[in-house]
C-alpha cells in the first residue's frame, strides 16, 4: 500500500501514467489565467489607444483655437505677433511638444525648439495643408504624433496664409498606462498564487471520493473480499465499483469453490484411510484369527487402497486438465475402433453385472482427437452406465456424425438421475447416492473429468434422464480440431 509520506505530485510517472490531481490543477489554472491575462492585456491596449486619441483631439482643438486667434490678430501681417508667439510656446510646453509656424513661402517663422527658424519646410503634410487638408499622424514606436492645422487669412474666400505644424509626445500617456499595467501584472501574480492554492484545494476536494474508493479497494486487495465497495458520489465511481464488484463476486465464487474442493478432497482421501485403519485395528484386536478371516480383511483393505489410488489418479487427471497449458495430443483417430476397444475392456465388468453392452455404429468416424483423453471420457460414461444399471440391463453406445461433428450417445436402462440434481451431476465429487457410488468404487470425479475432456475438444455434453428409467449422455465433438 502506498504510504502517506510517499505521496507527491508527479506528472509523468515512470510507467507514463498521469497524475489526475496535477492535471486538474493545471487545467483550472489554464482556464482561469489565460482568459484573465488576455482580457487585461486587451483592456490596457484599448485604454492606451483611447487616451492617445483623446490627446490628439485635444491638441488639434487647441491648435485650431490658436489658428483662429492668429487669423483674428493678423499674425502673418506683423500684428500681435509677440502675444501669439508666447501663446504658441505655452501650448508647446503644455503638451511637451513642438510647434512650428510656416508661412505662405514655406518658410518657418517660428519654431518653439528654435532650431529651424527661417528654414524652408516643404514637407508633404505642409503642402497638403496649404491645399486645405488637415493631417494627423501617430508614430507609435517613437511615442509622438504630428498634426498640421491651416491658418486662414480671414477673407471671405478663406485663403490660407500659413500652417501650424504641431508635434506632441505621447510618452507621458504611455507611462501612465504602463504604471497601470505594472499594477495589473502584480495583481495577476497575486491572483495566480491564490488560484494555485484554490485549484490545489479543489483538486483535493474533487478527488476525495476517488481516494476513498481506492482505500476500499486496498482493503479488498489485502484479502477482505467482503468489503463493500459499492456506491460513491460520482457516477464514474459507481460504474467502476459495479464492474469491480462483479469481478470480486467471481473471485469470491472461485475462492469458495476452491475451499469446497480442498475440503472435499481431504474428506474423500480420508474416507478409505479411515476404513483401512478400522479394518487393521479390528484385525489386530482379534488375537488368534483364522486365515480365511485374515484374508477377507486383507481383501477389504486392498479394495480401500484401490479406491484411494483411483481418487488420487482421477484428481491428478483433473488437475492436469485444469492447467491452462494443458495440452491435447491431437491426432487422426478412428473413433469406432476407440469405442470398440473401450467396450472390450469393460465387457468383463458388464458381464459380472449381467449388463448387455451394445455398440451401434451408424457410420465410420475419423476425427482429430486426443486418443487417451477421449478414451478416458468414454470409459467413464460406459462404466457409469454399467455401475448405475439394473440386473440384466443394457447399455447402448451409438456413434454417428455429420459434416462437422461426431455424436457419441451412451444410453442405459439404469436407475436414472433425478431431474433436480441433473444440473450438478458434472460437479467434482457430486454423487446422487453416496453409498452406491462408494459400493461401486467411484471417486465422484468421473463425470467432471469427462466434461473437461469434451470442453478441451471444443465439444459439448448433454444429459437426458428420468429417475428410474435410465439415462442418456450425448457427446458432440468437432471432427476437425481448431485450436
Ligand atoms: P462416481 O465415481 O461416483 O461414479 P461420477 O462423476 O462418474 O462419479 O458420477 C457422479 C454421480 O452421477 C454418480 O455418483 C452417480 O450418482 C451419478 N451417475 C453418473 N452416471 C450415471 C448413470 N449412467 N446413471 C445414473 N446415475 C449416474
Amino acid at each position: 500500500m502506498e504510504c502517506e509520506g510517499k505521496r507527491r505530485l508527479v506528472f509523468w510517472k515512470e510507467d507514463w501514467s498521469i497524475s489526475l490531481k496535477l492535471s486538474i490543477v493545471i487545467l483550472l489554472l489554464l482556464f482561469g489565467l489565460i482568459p484573465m491575462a488576455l482580457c487585461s492585456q486587451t483592456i490596457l491596449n484599448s485604454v492606451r489607444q483611447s487616451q492617445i486619441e483623446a490627446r490628439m483631439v485635444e491638441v488639434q482643438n487647441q491648435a485650431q483655437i490658436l489658428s483662429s486667434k492668429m487669423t483674428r490678430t493678423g499674425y502673418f501681417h506683423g500684428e500681435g505677433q509677440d502675444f501669439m508667439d508666447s501663446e504658441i510656446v505655452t501650448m508647446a510646453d503644455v503638451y511637451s511638444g513642438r510647434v512650428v509656424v510656416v508661412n505662405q513661402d514655406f518658410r518657418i517663422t517660428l519654431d518653439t525648439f528654435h532650431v529651424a527658424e527661417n528654414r524652408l519646410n516643404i514637407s508633404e503634410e505642409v503642402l497638403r495643408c496649404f491645399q486645405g487638408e488637415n493631417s494627423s499622424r501617430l508614430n507609435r514606436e517613437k511615442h509622438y504624433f504630428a498634426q498640421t492645422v491651416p491658418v486662414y487669412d480671414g477673407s471671405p474666400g478663406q485663403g490660407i496664409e500659413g500652417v501650424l505644424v504641431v508635434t506632441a509626445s505621447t510618452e507621458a500617456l504611455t507611462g501612465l498606462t504602463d504604471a497601470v499595467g505594472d499594477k495589473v501584472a502584480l495583481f495577476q501574480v497575486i491572483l495566480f498564487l491564490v488560484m494555485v492554492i484554490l485549484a490545489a484545494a479543489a483538486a483535493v476536494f474533487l478527488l476525495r471520493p476517488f481516494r476513498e474508493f481506492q482505500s476500499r479497494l486496498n482493503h479488498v486487495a489485502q484479502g477482505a473480499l467482503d468489503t463493500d465497495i459499492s456506491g460513491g458520489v460520482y457516477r464514474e465511481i459507481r460504474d467502476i465499483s459495479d464492474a469491480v464488484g462483479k469481478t470480486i463476486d467471481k473471485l469470491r465464487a472461485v475462492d469458495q469453490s476452491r475451499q469446497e474442493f480442498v475440503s472435499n478432497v481431504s474428506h474423500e482421501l480420508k474416507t478409505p484411510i479411515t476404513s483401512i485403519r478400522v479394518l487393521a485395528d479390528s484385525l489386530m484386536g482379534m488375537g488368534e484369527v483364522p486365515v480365511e478371516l485374515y484374508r477377507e480383511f486383507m481383501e477389504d483393505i486392498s479394495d480401500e487402497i484401490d479406491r484411494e489410488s483411483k481418487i488420487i489418479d482421477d484428481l491428478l487427471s483433473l488437475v492436469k486438465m485444469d492447467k491452462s497449458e494443458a495440452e491435447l495430443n491431437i491426432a487422426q483417430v478412428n473413433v469406432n475402433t476407440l469405442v470398440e476397444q473401450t467396450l472390450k475392456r469393460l465387457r468383463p465388468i458388464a458381464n459380472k453385472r449381467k449388463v448387455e453392452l451394445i455398440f451401434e455404429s451408424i457410420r465410420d468416424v475419423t476425427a482429430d482427437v486426443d486418443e487417451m483423453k477421449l478414451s478416458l471420457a468414454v470409459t467413464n460414461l460406459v462404466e457409469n452406465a454399467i455401475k448405475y444399471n439394473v440386473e440384466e440391463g443394457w447399455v447402448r453406445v451409438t456413434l454417428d456424425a455429420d459434416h462437422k461433428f461426431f455424436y457419441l450417445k451412451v444410453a442405459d436402462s439404469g436407475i436414472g438421475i433425478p431431474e433436480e440434481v441433473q444440473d450438478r451431476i458434472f460437479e467434482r465429487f457430486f454423487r446422487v447416492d453416496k453409498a452406491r457410488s462408494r459400493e461401486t468404487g467411484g471417486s465422484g470425479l468421473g463425470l467432471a473429468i469427462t466434461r473437461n475432456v469434451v470442453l478441451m475438444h471444443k465439444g459439448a455434453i448433454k444429459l437426458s434422464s428420468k429417475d428410474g428409467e435410465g439415462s442418456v449422455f450425448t457427446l458432440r465433438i468437432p471432427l476437425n480440431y481448431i485450436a
Side-chain angles (χ1 to χ4, degrees):
M1 210 175 81
E2 196 189 358
C3 73
E4 203 66 19
K6 268 196 196 162
R7 250 184 238 157
R8 63 206 152 109
L9 288 178
V10 181
F11 195 79
W12 288 111
K13 290 186 179 165
E14 280 140 41
D15 56 356
W16 298 100
S17 62
I18 192 168
S19 157
L20 185 57
K21 195 200 269 180
L22 191 59
S23 308
I24 290 177
V25 171
I26 289 174
L27 281 179
L28 285 178
L29 288 180
L30 286 181
F31 287 138
L33 290 178
I34 291 181
M36 189 184 71
L38 285 176
C39 204
S40 56
Q41 201 52 43
T42 315
I43 290 172
L44 269 179
N45 282 344
S46 82
V47 167
R48 190 175 288 144
Q49 183 62 28
S50 59
Q51 274 192 322
I52 290 172
E53 277 168 11
R55 174 61 58 92
M56 285 169 82
V57 169
E58 191 183 329
V59 167
Q60 186 133 34
N61 286 343
Q62 289 303 320
Q64 253 154 9
I65 292 169
L66 270 183
S67 153
S68 308
K69 279 188 182 170
M70 285 161 87
T71 305
R72 275 202 310 276
T73 54
Y75 180 83
F76 287 103
H77 304 289
E79 287 166 35
Q81 242 174 13
D82 290 343
F83 170 70
M84 280 316 299
D85 282 352
S86 74
E87 280 214 15
I88 289 168
V89 170
T90 310
M91 180 187 162
D93 288 346
V94 166
Y95 294 110
S96 316
R98 177 185 183 186
V99 181
V100 169
V101 181
V102 181
N103 69 11
Q104 249 171 342
D105 305 326
F106 303 107
R107 197 162 291 283
I108 294 171
T109 57
L110 174 69
D111 175 7
T112 53
F113 279 11
H114 304 295
V115 289
E117 270 156 355
N118 290 321
R119 292 207 193 142
L120 289 176
N121 182 343
I122 327 177
S123 64
E124 201 190 327
E125 284 103 337
V126 171
L127 285 173
R128 276 203 271 140
C129 193
F130 271 114
Q131 283 161 12
E133 222 180 279
N134 287 12
S135 73
S136 182
R137 178 169 53 83
L138 174 67
N139 189 328
R140 280 183 205 282
E141 283 80 45
K142 294 189 178 160
H143 305 290
Y144 77 90
F145 62 85
Q147 294 177 330
T148 52
V149 174
V151 181
Y152 295 100
D153 58 9
S155 66
Q158 293 280 36
I160 297 170
E161 56 183 1
V163 167
L164 286 175
V165 182
V166 186
T167 316
S169 167
T170 57
E171 211 136 17
L173 300 175
T174 318
L176 193 72
T177 45
D178 283 351
V180 175
D182 287 347
K183 282 204 176 117
V184 169
L186 180 70
F187 172 71
Q188 279 176 347
V189 169
I190 294 169
L191 204 67
F192 174 76
L193 294 175
V194 171
M195 279 194 72
V196 167
I197 295 166
L198 288 179
V204 170
F205 178 74
L206 288 173
L207 292 182
R208 193 187 292 154
F210 283 98
R211 278 213 182 290
E212 284 164 5
F213 182 55
Q214 189 189 7
S215 91
R216 277 182 274 158
L217 284 184
N218 282 340
H219 268 106
V220 176
Q222 281 166 355
L225 291 184
D226 290 333
T227 312
D228 180 20
I229 59 151
S230 62
V233 194
Y234 300 132
R235 196 182 310 142
E236 288 75 7
I237 293 186
R238 276 167 194 262
D239 291 349
I240 297 172
S241 70
D242 284 352
V244 176
K246 281 180 192 150
T247 313
I248 292 173
D249 285 347
K250 279 191 189 147
L251 269 179
R252 239 185 251 147
V254 169
D255 195 44
Q256 197 181 338
S257 91
R258 188 181 54 86
Q259 280 175 14
E260 269 172 25
F261 182 63
V262 171
S263 87
N264 281 341
V265 168
S266 324
H267 178 74
E268 295 295 331
L269 291 179
K270 247 179 120 178
T271 317
I273 289 176
T274 314
S275 307
I276 293 170
R277 159 148 291 215
V278 170
L279 286 165
D281 282 353
S282 47
L283 199 58
M284 281 191 297
M286 281 183 207
E288 281 299 307
V289 182
V291 179
E292 292 73 38
L293 191 66
Y294 196 78
R295 186 167 290 134
E296 201 181 308
F297 270 67
M298 285 314 279
E299 268 169 18
D300 286 350
I301 289 177
S302 171
D303 283 352
E304 290 303 328
I305 291 171
D306 282 350
R307 214 159 91 79
E308 181 88 18
S309 151
K310 179 162 171 39
I311 295 174
I312 292 171
D313 285 350
D314 283 356
L315 267 175
L316 285 177
S317 324
L318 250 186
V319 169
K320 262 192 224 154
M321 278 185 245
D322 267 359
K323 280 193 193 159
S324 51
E325 70 266 25
E327 271 178 20
L328 285 174
N329 285 323
I330 297 291
Q332 281 248 313
V333 172
N334 185 310
V335 185
N336 297 64
T337 316
L338 185 145
V339 175
E340 273 161 17
Q341 280 171 354
T342 309
L343 295 185
K344 197 174 158 194
R345 256 188 285 120
L346 295 172
R347 212 165 286 274
I349 314 173
N351 290 343
K352 219 192 233 176
R353 290 169 187 251
K354 295 197 183 98
V355 171
E356 191 188 358
L357 276 188
I358 309 153
F359 179 36
E360 196 180 348
S361 169
I362 294 175
R363 68 191 73 231
D364 212 40
V365 178
T366 307
D368 295 342
V369 290
D370 182 319
E371 191 170 3
M372 291 278 284
K373 292 197 172 81
L374 186 65
S375 165
L376 183 65
V378 179
T379 305
N380 286 340
L381 289 180
V382 179
E383 212 179 336
N384 279 348
I386 299 169
K387 278 186 330 191
Y388 303 104
N389 217 316
V390 291
E391 194 93 352
E392 294 185 354
W394 50 262
V395 175
R396 181 189 297 274
V397 181
T398 315
L399 180 64
D400 193 5
D402 57 21
H403 63 292
K404 266 184 153 178
F405 303 96
F406 72 86
Y407 305 87
L408 187 85
K409 207 194 278 184
V410 180
D412 63 60
S413 57
I415 57 170
I417 299 164
E419 209 170 322
E420 61 275 15
V421 298
Q422 286 182 11
D423 283 348
R424 303 191 56 203
I425 206 79
F426 296 101
E427 283 177 19
R428 292 157 183 194
F429 298 116
F430 181 81
R431 293 152 171 134
V432 180
D433 179 350
K434 278 201 190 281
R436 181 161 182 151
S437 168
R438 222 179 112 67
E439 210 176 280
T440 53
S443 67
L445 296 170
L447 286 181
I449 292 173
T450 303
R451 193 187 60 159
N452 269 15
V453 170
V454 172
L455 293 183
M456 280 172 90
H457 283 85
K458 313 261 169 10
I461 184 164
K462 203 178 76 183
L463 160 68
S464 97
S465 178
K466 256 195 182 155
D467 203 7
E469 287 181 25
S471 318
V472 182
F473 285 90
T474 312
L475 307 190
R476 191 196 68 183
I477 293 178
L479 291 170
N480 298 310
Y481 178 77
I482 300 155

mmCIF file of all heavy atoms in Angstrom, residues 409-422:
data_model
loop_
_atom_site.group_PDB
_atom_site.id
_atom_site.type_symbol
_atom_site.label_atom_id
_atom_site.label_comp_id
_atom_site.label_asym_id
_atom_site.label_seq_id
_atom_site.Cartn_x
_atom_site.Cartn_y
_atom_site.Cartn_z
ATOM 1 N N LYS A 409 -23.421 -41.401 -28.226
ATOM 2 C CA LYS A 409 -24.527 -41.457 -27.276
ATOM 3 C C LYS A 409 -24.354 -42.694 -26.404
ATOM 4 O O LYS A 409 -24.132 -43.793 -26.931
ATOM 5 C CB LYS A 409 -25.837 -41.551 -28.065
ATOM 6 C CG LYS A 409 -27.015 -40.973 -27.318
ATOM 7 C CD LYS A 409 -28.300 -41.380 -27.966
ATOM 8 C CE LYS A 409 -28.728 -40.559 -29.158
ATOM 9 N NZ LYS A 409 -30.041 -40.984 -29.638
ATOM 10 N N VAL A 410 -24.389 -42.495 -25.068
ATOM 11 C CA VAL A 410 -24.305 -43.644 -24.164
ATOM 12 C C VAL A 410 -25.622 -43.705 -23.406
ATOM 13 O O VAL A 410 -25.896 -42.865 -22.544
ATOM 14 C CB VAL A 410 -23.106 -43.501 -23.180
ATOM 15 C CG1 VAL A 410 -23.044 -44.717 -22.253
ATOM 16 C CG2 VAL A 410 -21.802 -43.352 -23.944
ATOM 17 N N ALA A 411 -26.456 -44.700 -23.783
ATOM 18 C CA ALA A 411 -27.777 -44.816 -23.144
ATOM 19 C C ALA A 411 -27.786 -46.083 -22.293
ATOM 20 O O ALA A 411 -27.128 -47.068 -22.637
ATOM 21 C CB ALA A 411 -28.854 -44.904 -24.222
ATOM 22 N N ASP A 412 -28.496 -46.003 -21.171
ATOM 23 C CA ASP A 412 -28.568 -47.207 -20.341
ATOM 24 C C ASP A 412 -29.984 -47.410 -19.821
ATOM 25 O O ASP A 412 -30.829 -46.517 -19.877
ATOM 26 C CB ASP A 412 -27.558 -47.125 -19.172
ATOM 27 C CG ASP A 412 -27.850 -45.995 -18.229
ATOM 28 O OD1 ASP A 412 -28.951 -45.971 -17.634
ATOM 29 O OD2 ASP A 412 -26.972 -45.097 -18.057
ATOM 30 N N SER A 413 -30.198 -48.621 -19.303
ATOM 31 C CA SER A 413 -31.523 -48.961 -18.774
ATOM 32 C C SER A 413 -31.483 -48.880 -17.247
ATOM 33 O O SER A 413 -32.210 -49.592 -16.572
ATOM 34 C CB SER A 413 -31.881 -50.394 -19.201
ATOM 35 O OG SER A 413 -30.851 -51.272 -18.735
ATOM 36 N N GLY A 414 -30.574 -47.998 -16.732
ATOM 37 C CA GLY A 414 -30.274 -47.976 -15.301
ATOM 38 C C GLY A 414 -31.242 -47.214 -14.422
ATOM 39 O O GLY A 414 -32.401 -46.973 -14.780
ATOM 40 N N ILE A 415 -30.682 -46.789 -13.290
ATOM 41 C CA ILE A 415 -31.514 -46.211 -12.230
ATOM 42 C C ILE A 415 -31.937 -44.767 -12.525
ATOM 43 O O ILE A 415 -32.818 -44.233 -11.880
ATOM 44 C CB ILE A 415 -30.793 -46.265 -10.875
ATOM 45 C CG1 ILE A 415 -29.434 -45.539 -10.976
ATOM 46 C CG2 ILE A 415 -30.600 -47.696 -10.409
ATOM 47 C CD1 ILE A 415 -28.769 -45.331 -9.638
ATOM 48 N N GLY A 416 -31.273 -44.161 -13.530
ATOM 49 C CA GLY A 416 -31.636 -42.785 -13.884
ATOM 50 C C GLY A 416 -31.119 -41.764 -12.887
ATOM 51 O O GLY A 416 -30.598 -42.115 -11.818
ATOM 52 N N ILE A 417 -31.257 -40.505 -13.252
ATOM 53 C CA ILE A 417 -30.761 -39.413 -12.392
ATOM 54 C C ILE A 417 -31.916 -38.442 -12.148
ATOM 55 O O ILE A 417 -32.505 -37.930 -13.110
ATOM 56 C CB ILE A 417 -29.577 -38.687 -13.062
ATOM 57 C CG1 ILE A 417 -28.414 -39.679 -13.273
ATOM 58 C CG2 ILE A 417 -29.100 -37.486 -12.241
ATOM 59 C CD1 ILE A 417 -27.369 -39.216 -14.242
ATOM 60 N N PRO A 418 -32.272 -38.179 -10.880
ATOM 61 C CA PRO A 418 -33.400 -37.272 -10.606
ATOM 62 C C PRO A 418 -33.176 -35.904 -11.258
ATOM 63 O O PRO A 418 -32.047 -35.412 -11.279
ATOM 64 C CB PRO A 418 -33.402 -37.155 -9.080
ATOM 65 C CG PRO A 418 -32.557 -38.269 -8.580
ATOM 66 C CD PRO A 418 -31.640 -38.671 -9.666
ATOM 67 N N GLU A 419 -34.268 -35.308 -11.748
ATOM 68 C CA GLU A 419 -34.171 -34.060 -12.503
ATOM 69 C C GLU A 419 -33.538 -32.928 -11.690
ATOM 70 O O GLU A 419 -32.739 -32.144 -12.222
ATOM 71 C CB GLU A 419 -35.574 -33.652 -12.957
ATOM 72 C CG GLU A 419 -35.500 -32.871 -14.249
ATOM 73 C CD GLU A 419 -36.872 -32.672 -14.844
ATOM 74 O OE1 GLU A 419 -37.686 -33.621 -14.755
ATOM 75 O OE2 GLU A 419 -37.114 -31.580 -15.363
ATOM 76 N N GLU A 420 -33.865 -32.890 -10.385
ATOM 77 C CA GLU A 420 -33.393 -31.760 -9.578
ATOM 78 C C GLU A 420 -31.868 -31.737 -9.372
ATOM 79 O O GLU A 420 -31.314 -30.708 -9.009
ATOM 80 C CB GLU A 420 -34.128 -31.710 -8.220
ATOM 81 C CG GLU A 420 -33.971 -32.912 -7.315
ATOM 82 C CD GLU A 420 -34.943 -34.055 -7.596
ATOM 83 O OE1 GLU A 420 -35.571 -34.056 -8.656
ATOM 84 O OE2 GLU A 420 -35.023 -34.971 -6.753
ATOM 85 N N VAL A 421 -31.193 -32.884 -9.615
ATOM 86 C CA VAL A 421 -29.732 -32.879 -9.433
ATOM 87 C C VAL A 421 -28.980 -32.938 -10.762
ATOM 88 O O VAL A 421 -27.754 -32.950 -10.784
ATOM 89 C CB VAL A 421 -29.248 -34.030 -8.506
ATOM 90 C CG1 VAL A 421 -29.817 -33.899 -7.129
ATOM 91 C CG2 VAL A 421 -29.555 -35.393 -9.114
ATOM 92 N N GLN A 422 -29.754 -32.941 -11.861
ATOM 93 C CA GLN A 422 -29.072 -33.097 -13.156
ATOM 94 C C GLN A 422 -28.101 -31.959 -13.454
ATOM 95 O O GLN A 422 -27.090 -32.153 -14.115
ATOM 96 C CB GLN A 422 -30.112 -33.235 -14.271
ATOM 97 C CG GLN A 422 -30.771 -34.601 -14.247
ATOM 98 C CD GLN A 422 -31.779 -34.812 -15.352
ATOM 99 O OE1 GLN A 422 -31.878 -34.032 -16.287
ATOM 100 N NE2 GLN A 422 -32.550 -35.875 -15.248
#
